[in-house]
Amino acid sequence: MTEIINSQPDMTVVGTAADPLVARDLIKVTHPDVLTLDVEMPRMDGLEFLEKLMRLRPMPVVMVSSLTERGSEIALRALELGAIDFVTKPRLGVRDGLLNYTELIAGKIRTAASARIIAARQPSAKAADVPQESLLRSPLLSTEKLIIIGASTGGTEAIREVLQPLPPDSPAVLIAQHMPGGFTKSFAQRLDSLCRIHVKEAEHGERVLPGYAYIAPGGFHLSLGRSGANYVAHLDQEPPVNRHRPSIDVLFDSAAKYAGKNAIGMLLTGMGKDGAEGLLRMRKAGAHTLAQDEASCVVFGMPREAIAIGAADEVAPLGEMCRRVLTHLRTFGERTNRV
């Protein structure tokens, strides 16, 4: 890691620590802009140290995690505690493997350095603790309506905040979150335990149903398709788009094509521009579109790009996004019922 970071023209390692207690003292002396933190360390667990750090001296943290089921659960917990992002360690040949990931690691550190620090979060409330809210005054809701979400850095917690208040009769939700393979299953399971809707990894060819959220598996593009009168999920491993697979633009473009005005598009926090053009195409196809505002984003890159090209009908803080969607759906439902 030292070799990778010092090889970059715009970053320098100011200190290394073999355990969190040494790191604590070094941070006070060196005042780093970003901390890379291994999950597995002697004397104190990486998560325990992160929790203390974000409470006492919040700073940008990139976690280093193993590519295992346990590693994915720990990485997701670290993001919940306020880490900006994570990078996985190769299973074999750690040093050579990390050198191959030089560009990825350097990019994540640059993103963290410019990210907005989110205060350490309290443990997520269970769905039962979130105020219940009926989606419509009438139970009649067209199964044609869909909610389409794209997110990147900072997105795991942003997606939770959007999904958790959704009622069980919510339209189906399709999600493209930039995340490596092996992590999206744990992400879906975590959300499923917290939400009233069902959350799962998308499967190729499955029918898209109301009351469910479908997350693109890491390493696969997720797109919307049709089979007769039904929406279906489509997965493929075509080349990355905007350097990502899953790509948000791929999902948004398919929603513009197959759902049109029946879709609600939502672009959340993240670095880069993936999703901006797709959100514009959704809007042009008649969809209602939202972008997260700068103040509530960990990284404002993707929403900023979308706003700049006129892709968003609404710009809203994260805490307002779900309410805005429900308001739009109620208006749609009442209009449908009057017809």
Side-chain angles (χ1 to χ4, degrees), residues 150-177:
S152 187
T153 309
T156 56
E157 285 303 293
I159 288 169
R160 177 192 62 76
E161 195 159 335
V162 171
L163 294 189
Q164 206 169 357
L166 287 176
D169 58 344
S170 166
V173 184
L174 279 75
I175 300 166
Q177 160 73 43

Side-chain angles (χ1 to χ4, degrees), residues 111-178:
T111 298
S114 62
R116 179 174 284 101
I117 304 304
I118 304 297
R121 303 174 188 272
Q122 297 301 314
S124 300
K126 298 294 182 183
D129 299 328
V130 178
Q132 294 275 345
E133 186 171 14
S134 177
L135 184 58
L136 302 172
R137 294 194 183 102
S138 166
L140 298 176
L141 173 64
S142 169
T143 56
E144 291 289 294
K145 295 298 282 187
L146 295 171
I147 301 169
I148 313 294
I149 299 174
S152 187
T153 309
T156 56
E157 285 303 293
I159 288 169
R160 177 192 62 76
E161 195 159 335
V162 171
L163 294 189
Q164 206 169 357
L166 287 176
D169 58 344
S170 166
V173 184
L174 279 75
I175 300 166
Q177 160 73 43
H178 296 160

Side-chain angles (χ1 to χ4, degrees), residues 5 10-15 26-37 53-54 57-62 82-84 108-117:
I5 293 167
D10 56 343
M11 57 184 74
T12 303
V13 174
V14 294
L26 274 176
I27 287 170
K28 294 175 182 177
V29 174
T30 60
H31 306 289
D33 298 303
V34 178
L35 175 71
T36 62
L37 178 62
L53 180 72
M54 297 307 290
R57 193 193 187 283
M59 62 183 300
V61 175
V62 176
I84 301 298
K108 287 180 181 289
I109 292 172
R110 288 189 189 96
T111 298
S114 62
R116 179 174 284 101
I117 304 304

